[in-house]
């Protein structure tokens, strides 16, 4: 029973590490974008293509990055976390 408890604690710690890492990455991306809006509006207003400013492009990339980070978490959970939980509950 003690080994099972240690394995569960290890799994919980791994989940926290992954979630904090991905949450931290999203915060850096989002707040970096917000800080650009706050302190460098002319840069974000510059046009890349007619009708497409750098600000719009970066805003869309923030959303895409969120999707990618969600995908990474779901993939990790489905391939690592769920298997380890299933192994712990079968014993």
């Amino acid at each position: 029973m003690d080994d099972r408890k240690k394995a569960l604690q290890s799994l919980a710690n791994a989940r926290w590490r992954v979630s904090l890492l991905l949450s931290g990455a999203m915060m850096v991306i989002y707040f970096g974008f917000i800080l650009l809006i706050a302190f460098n509006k002319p840069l974000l207003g510059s046009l890349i293509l007619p009708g497409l400013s750098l600000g719009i492009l970066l805003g869309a990339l923030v959303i895409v990055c969120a999707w990618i980070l969600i995908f990474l978490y779901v993939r990790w959970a489905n391939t690592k976390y769920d298997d380890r939980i299933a192994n712990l509950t079968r014993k």
Side-chain angles (χ1 to χ4, degrees):
M1 187 67 171
D2 193 38
D3 290 337
R4 197 175 191 175
K5 187 175 181 179
K6 286 180 184 178
L8 187 58
Q9 186 62 44
S10 170
L11 186 56
N13 290 340
R15 189 187 72 201
W16 271 107
R17 277 192 305 273
V18 168
S19 63
L20 288 175
L21 178 72
L22 294 175
S23 295
M26 190 65 230
M27 287 177 62
V28 167
I29 292 166
Y30 179 75
F31 287 115
F33 179 66
I34 295 300
L35 288 171
L36 271 176
I37 292 170
F39 296 111
N40 204 348
K41 286 184 181 124
L43 174 68
L44 294 178
S46 61
L47 291 179
I48 296 174
L49 298 170
L52 178 65
S53 70
L54 182 61
I56 295 296
L57 178 63
L58 290 178
L61 287 176
V62 167
I63 294 168
V64 170
C65 285
W67 291 342
I68 291 169
L69 292 173
I70 291 167
F71 169 78
L72 291 174
Y73 180 78
V74 169
R75 183 167 178 208
W76 174 83
N78 288 339
T79 59
K80 304 275 195 258
Y81 183 76
D82 290 346
D83 290 341
R84 288 178 66 189
I85 284 288
N87 288 336
L88 284 173
T89 57
R90 276 188 229 141
K91 293 180 179 179

